[in-house]
Amino acid sequence: MASAIFGFVGVLLGSLTTSILTIYKERLASRHETMIRDQQYERDRQATRDDFQRESIQALQTAVSDVIKAAYEELDRVLAELRESGSWPARQWETPTAKGWSESVLQLQLSAARVLDEGLRDLAHEIQRIAGEAIWAPDLSAAKRHSRRLEPLHVRFNDTANRIFTSLF
């Protein structure tokens, strides 16, 4: 009878041990699956953020180029007028808005709001400011001085965008 009781206790202890180990193993597996799911969620979230930033930076690059293009077109128009009349036609409040200027500035501001990198946004706004100063210049020498600053600033802007793109891939 003692061997039957010891056998029964052995079976109970074996069942209890197996049950405890099975529960422990399932909890570990569950934690591992949760951790893997959380990591995948974070990777997906980061990939979505990176995609959004790439698209936003590309839109900002286009907007910056459009602002520069509008400024150059206006400067070309004013230079043609200078050649014809012999005097610099300084812009006044009543002067019609430069062709494409308002739309390009609004697009730049909208695109800049979506870009997370403050340095890139600042460069875009600096380009906008200098382009505006070039087309609102009171004389030819001021227009030249401002427009000469646009290209190096545009190169700096694109170099900064390139560095950000590199980090997003």
Side-chain angles (χ1 to χ4, degrees), residues 20-35:
I20 290 172
L21 289 175
T22 301
I23 291 170
Y24 180 72
K25 178 184 156 209
E26 289 299 320
R27 290 180 87 193
L28 281 178
S30 176
R31 282 186 198 148
H32 183 69
E33 287 173 12
T34 301
M35 184 181 69

Side-chain angles (χ1 to χ4, degrees), residues 95-155:
T95 306
T97 304
K99 183 179 175 185
W101 177 256
S102 295
E103 181 182 346
S104 63
V105 167
L106 291 173
Q107 190 60 44
L108 183 145
Q109 292 171 350
L110 175 68
S111 299
R114 296 174 40 156
V115 172
L116 299 176
D117 187 89
E118 187 176 347
L120 191 63
R121 284 193 318 265
D122 290 346
L123 284 170
H125 291 303
E126 180 71 6
I127 288 170
Q128 175 192 338
R129 185 183 65 75
I130 291 173
E133 288 174 355
I135 63 174
W136 280 89
D139 54 46
L140 179 60
S141 65
K144 283 181 182 180
R145 187 175 64 251
H146 293 302
S147 65
R148 284 184 184 132
R149 295 174 54 204
L150 280 175
E151 287 186 36
L153 196 54
H154 193 216
V155 168

Side-chain angles (χ1 to χ4, degrees), residues 80-97:
E81 196 173 320
L82 172 67
R83 276 188 223 108
E84 288 176 15
S85 69
S87 66
W88 181 259
R91 295 185 64 79
Q92 305 295 319
W93 177 254
E94 297 81 16
T95 306
T97 304

Side-chain angles (χ1 to χ4, degrees), residues 8-23:
F8 180 67
V9 170
V11 169
L12 284 177
L13 285 176
S15 296
L16 183 62
T17 303
T18 302
S19 296
I20 290 172
L21 289 175
T22 301
I23 291 170

